[in-house]
C-alpha cells in the first residue's frame, strides 16, 4: 500500500518506523527534510493522502545521520502514556517531538 523507505535510509523498511497511529482518524508521520530525497517524498505523499482521507495528521522530525535513521514515530503507546526516544545532541528535535 505504501512504498517502503529505501533500505539505505531505514534498514527495517517497516512503516512503524515513520508512522504512528493515534486514533482511528489521527496519525503521526515523520517529517523528513527535503534533502532526504525519497524518504521525504514518501512521507509527504503519505501524509497528504491521509489528510485528503479526512485524517488529522501530525508531523514530527525524522532524519538520517551517519547511517542511522532517527525517528520519534517508532514509539510505544500504553493507555495514555507515550514512550518515545530522546536523542543526545538533538535538543530542538527532541523538544518538537
Amino acid at each position: 500500500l505504501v512504498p517502503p523507505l529505501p533500505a539505505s535510509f531505514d534498514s527495517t523498511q517497516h512503516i512503524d518506523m515513520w508512522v504512528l497511529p493515534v486514533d482511528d482518524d489521527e496519525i503521526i508521520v515523520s517529517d523528513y527534510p527535503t534533502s532526504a530525497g525519497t524518504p521525504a517524498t514518501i512521507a509527504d505523499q503519505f501524509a497528504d493522502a491521509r489528510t485528503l482521507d479526512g485524517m488529522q495528521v501530525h508531523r514530527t522530525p525524522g532524519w538520517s545521520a551517519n547511517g542511522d535513521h532517527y525517528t520519534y514515530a517508532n514509539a510505544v503507546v500504553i493507555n495514555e502514556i507515550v514512550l518515545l526516544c530522546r536523542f543526545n545532541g538533538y535538543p530542538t528535535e527532541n523538544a518538537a517531538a
Side-chain angles (χ1 to χ4, degrees):
L1 298 175
V2 177
L5 300 186
S8 60
F9 190 88
D10 173 37
S11 62
T12 70
Q13 294 191 305
H14 294 173
I15 194 170
D16 67 338
M17 290 295 288
W18 56 278
V19 175
L20 177 65
V22 175
D23 204 343
D24 290 343
D25 60 352
E26 189 175 2
I27 59 172
I28 298 170
V29 179
S30 290
D31 188 14
Y32 300 104
T34 55
S35 61
T38 300
T41 301
I42 291 171
D44 290 347
Q45 288 175 349
F46 183 81
D48 291 345
R50 300 300 67 82
T51 298
L52 290 174
D53 289 343
M55 296 187 82
Q56 183 176 8
V57 178
H58 306 279
R59 303 300 298 266
T60 189
W63 67 97
S64 179
N66 302 316
D68 293 319
H69 178 195
Y70 292 85
T71 176
Y72 297 98
N74 188 18
V76 175
V77 180
I78 303 169
N79 296 324
E80 294 188 24
I81 297 171
V82 179
L83 304 174
L84 71 122
C85 298
R86 294 182 59 86
F87 301 109
N88 292 333
Y90 296 97
T92 303
E93 293 83 353
N94 288 336

